[in-house]
């Protein structure tokens, strides 16, 4: 796709698609629940639809009337052995969280995905789940999908010190922990997104939080009739927030955006860099704080350092924040983000290579990158590397590039944001 948008501004307001992390969890926990769950504003993107399909294959009664999703759950012991290999497409969250659930099922299942997912490391979940008693096999001595899981019931308890601040690892262990009465806890080096803990509590499971440790208490049954209304995804809003900040004459309001503090690192960084940003109409939707975020053109941006405990709070927004950094005064440094290298693409490489290809100055670090500010972007050919967030980041770059930005494969945006290019066009003025 060739985008030549220089001279246009982004103006208007938009409710970006719903949160991907919460949509996945609504299906997963709704499937383990005994009771009826209605999911409103479910994200119908490829990743979340793959999760939905997986639970249908595991025998759960899920229907989609086009508006709401209805899950008639029969409890955590009701899943059935799947008749076929379960294909989770591009979705890391699906394969890792579902592995946690399947670890506690006394049957055989095989999980696979697309060529990108089959290159993503699974030992991070396989190690604790094996310690809990599940048998998990995969390519290259168990590290990569396809994964074969032979679950066990009951599993062993675990007090897991996770080497990474990863919500996927934490969630996989907590979900497996539903299948044991022994003590289960996960301690992280920094706090990752907490949607699993919040939603388990909403379903009635005893969850205790003590600093960086989450543990399961006595009640591990999910039993509630719930309505889950999924707020807008801050990771999708990020593209238009950055677009408005870097493009003259722009002002965009993003409505109903999730403001859970484990997700709002991007807002802290944007404020620090001097972005004109305001948050209004703060309220609760589906147990999460949400608000309307307005961002306008911000000509006086300053470079910053993004590191340490802030990283898990904005991990998925780093490619688009790197684009923002090209317009700031000074050199922005991103470190402690080695995890970026094992996302849907190696996002250190894909971001830096593409920034260079359109005329920015950026360099890779083993665990991050350095971006030179006040760069005039020229435009040119970039690759999405099959990664939705890279495709969307460089579509936004075209707003300020002198010439066209040509992105090779943009179909991957359907992973999280199928209507992205329509929404972009509708905001152009
Ligand atoms: C997610 C957790 C994060 C994030 C991913 C979604 C989740 O991954 O990057 O897009 O929904 O739990 P890690 O757990 O690997 O950090």
């Amino acid at each position: 796709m060739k985008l030549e948008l220089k001279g246009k501004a982004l103006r208007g307001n938009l409710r970006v698609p719903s949160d991907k992390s919460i949509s996945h969890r609504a299906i997963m926990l709704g499937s383990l629940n005994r009771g009826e769950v209605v999911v409103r504003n479910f994200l119908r993107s490829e990743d979340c639809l793959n999760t939905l399909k997986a639970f249908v294959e595991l025998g759960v009664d899920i229907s989609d009337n086009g508006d709401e999703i209805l899950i008639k759950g029969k409890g955590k012991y009701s899943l059935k052995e799947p008749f076929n290999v379960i294909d989770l497409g591009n979705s890391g969250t699906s394969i890792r969280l579902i592995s946690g659930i399947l670890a506690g099922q006394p049957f055989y299942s095989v999980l696979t995905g697309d060529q990108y997912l089959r290159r993503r490391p699974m030992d991070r979940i396989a190690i604790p789940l094996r310690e809990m008693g599940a048998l998990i096999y995969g390519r290259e001595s168990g590290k990569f999908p396809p994964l074969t899981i032979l679950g066990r019931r009951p599993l062993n308890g675990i007090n897991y010190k996770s080497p990474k601040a990863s919500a996927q690892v934490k969630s996989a262990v907590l979900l497996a922990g539903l299948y044991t009465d022994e003590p289960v806890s996960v301690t992280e080096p920094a706090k990752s997104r907490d949607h699993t803990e919040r939603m388990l509590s909403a379903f009635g499971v005893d969850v205790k939080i003590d600093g960086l440790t989450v543990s399961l208490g006595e009640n591990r049954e999910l039993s509630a009739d719930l309505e889950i209304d999924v707020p807008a995804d801050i990771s999708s809003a990020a593209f238009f927030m950055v677009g408005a900040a870097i493009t003259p004459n722009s002002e965009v309001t993003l409505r109903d955006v999730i403001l859970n503090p484990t997700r709002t690192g991007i807002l802290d960084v944007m404020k620090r860099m001097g972005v004109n940003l305001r948050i209004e109409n703060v309220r609760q939707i589906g147990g999460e704080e949400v608000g309307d975020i307005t961002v306008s053109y911000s000509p006086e941006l300053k470079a910053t350092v993004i590191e340490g405990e802030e990283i898990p709070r904005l991990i998925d927004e780093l490619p688009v924040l790197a684009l923002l950094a090209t317009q700031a005064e000074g050199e922005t440094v991103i470190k402690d983000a080695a995890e970026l290298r094992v996302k849907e693409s190696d996002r250190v490489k894909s971001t830096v290579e593409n920034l260079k290809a359109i005329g920015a100055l950026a360099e890779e670090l083993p665990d991050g990158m350095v971006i030179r500010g006040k760069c005039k972007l020229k435009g040119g050919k970039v690759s999405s590397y099959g990664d939705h967030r890279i495709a969307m980041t460089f579509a936004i770059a075209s707003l300020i590039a002198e010439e066209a930005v040509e992105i090779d494969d943009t179909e991957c945006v359907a992973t999280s944001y199928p209507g992205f290019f329509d929404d972009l066009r509708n905001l152009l003025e």
Side-chain angles (χ1 to χ4, degrees):
M1 181 181 290
K2 200 168 179 176
L3 290 166
E4 204 160 356
L5 301 180
K6 175 89 182 197
K8 305 263 190 202
L10 289 179
R11 299 193 67 84
N13 78 75
L14 175 68
R15 198 267 186 202
V16 296
S18 293
D19 194 77
K20 184 153 81 67
S21 294
I22 296 183
S23 295
H24 281 304
R25 288 159 172 82
I27 299 291
M28 294 180 190
L29 301 196
S31 295
L32 303 183
N33 176 52
R34 184 180 294 284
E36 287 199 7
V37 174
V38 176
V39 189
R40 297 216 170 85
N41 286 311
F42 175 70
L43 172 64
R44 285 182 180 73
S45 73
E46 281 178 3
D47 271 16
C48 299
L49 290 171
N50 279 325
T51 289
L52 192 156
K53 191 165 57 66
F55 282 90
V56 170
E57 288 169 29
L58 288 163
V60 182
D61 179 352
I62 307 179
S63 52
D64 181 355
N65 67 13
D67 183 22
E68 296 162 345
I69 309 278
L70 176 64
I71 310 168
K72 291 185 180 163
K74 295 205 171 64
K76 67 181 180 183
Y77 299 123
S78 67
L79 302 184
K80 305 272 180 318
E81 185 174 76
F83 186 54
N84 204 346
V85 171
I86 296 181
D87 186 347
L88 298 160
N90 192 243
S91 182
T93 305
S94 308
I95 198 167
R96 294 196 180 117
L97 270 59
I98 291 175
S99 295
I101 293 170
L102 294 178
Q105 313 304 320
F107 55 65
Y108 166 90
S109 35
V110 183
L111 305 178
T112 191
D114 68 12
Q115 56 158 322
Y116 303 102
L117 190 69
R118 294 197 305 272
R119 290 192 181 92
R120 297 186 65 189
M122 295 297 141
D123 38 353
R124 57 185 57 202
I125 50 122
I127 290 168
L129 296 177
R130 285 186 193 120
E131 198 178 318
M132 294 177 82
L135 295 176
I136 302 186
Y137 305 92
R139 290 189 308 110
E140 296 192 27
S141 311
K143 288 196 192 68
F144 297 101
L147 294 180
T148 295
I149 303 182
L150 292 167
R152 215 186 76 182
R153 194 180 289 164
L155 289 167
N156 308 317
I158 190 170
N159 291 310
Y160 191 57
K161 297 234 168 338
S162 176
K164 297 179 197 309
S166 160
Q168 293 176 356
V169 172
K170 172 173 64 180
S171 302
V173 174
L174 292 175
L175 292 172
L178 299 173
Y179 297 93
T180 169
D181 292 328
E182 292 176 10
V184 170
S185 71
V186 185
T187 304
E188 306 186 90
K191 195 163 168 74
S192 66
R193 64 192 68 192
D194 61 0
H195 309 301
T196 303
E197 299 89 294
R198 283 177 185 241
M199 212 184 276
L200 280 172
S201 294
F203 275 107
V205 173
D206 287 339
V207 179
K208 294 192 190 69
I209 317 252
D210 180 10
L212 296 173
T213 301
V214 184
S215 45
L216 295 180
E218 205 169 309
N219 183 38
R220 299 182 190 182
E221 298 289 336
L222 293 79
S223 176
D225 288 335
L226 279 190
E227 292 185 5
I228 301 175
D229 192 353
V230 187
D233 196 331
I234 194 167
S235 302
S236 296
F239 301 105
F240 296 114
M241 295 200 282
V242 168
I246 60 178
T247 312
N249 300 318
S250 295
E251 180 165 296
V252 173
T253 299
L254 288 321
R255 300 195 310 270
D256 302 350
V257 178
I258 187 162
L259 296 175
N260 176 317
T262 61
R263 300 288 298 283
T264 49
I266 181 169
L267 300 180
D268 299 341
V269 169
M270 290 183 94
K271 285 184 201 152
R272 208 154 73 217
M273 292 179 76
V275 170
N276 300 320
L277 176 158
R278 57 175 202 275
I279 303 171
E280 289 161 317
N281 200 12
V282 175
R283 61 210 185 278
Q284 294 281 323
I285 293 185
E288 296 277 5
E289 192 163 274
V290 304
D292 301 339
I293 304 175
T294 301
V295 177
S296 56
Y297 177 50
S298 311
E300 285 175 24
L301 296 171
K302 301 179 291 288
T304 190
V305 179
I306 309 175
E307 62 183 338
E309 298 204 345
E310 202 162 44
I311 295 292
R313 298 179 54 235
L314 45 64
I315 185 80
D316 293 339
E317 290 70 74
L318 286 169
V320 80
L321 282 172
L323 172 65
L324 180 69
T326 65
Q327 303 308 301
E329 180 75 52
E331 217 170 59
T332 292
V333 182
I334 298 171
K335 49 188 181 188
D336 305 324
E339 275 294 297
L340 271 189
R341 292 202 180 268
V342 290
K343 292 293 177 186
E344 287 82 329
S345 68
D346 172 346
R347 287 184 177 158
V348 172
K349 178 167 176 281
S350 46
T351 304
V352 169
E353 290 290 313
N354 284 344
L355 284 176
K356 286 188 189 157
I358 58 169
L361 292 168
E363 251 174 68
E364 292 189 27
L365 299 175
D367 64 344
M369 59 190 100
V370 180
I371 307 112
R372 175 89 61 83
K374 288 288 173 204
C375 254
K376 255 206 158 38
L377 303 184
K378 202 172 152 314
K381 285 194 177 166
V382 299
S383 169
S384 70
Y385 294 81
D387 181 336
H388 54 133
R389 299 202 198 281
I390 298 297
M392 291 187 273
T393 295
F394 288 89
I396 293 297
S398 73
L399 286 161
I400 54 165
E402 297 302 318
E403 291 158 26
V405 174
E406 198 175 336
I407 311 169
D408 62 350
D409 152 29
T410 50
E411 271 163 32
C412 54
V413 302
T415 291
S416 63
Y417 197 157
F420 173 77
F421 288 104
D422 292 334
D423 285 352
L424 173 61
R425 269 183 219 109
N426 288 334
L427 289 175
L428 289 177
E429 218 171 67

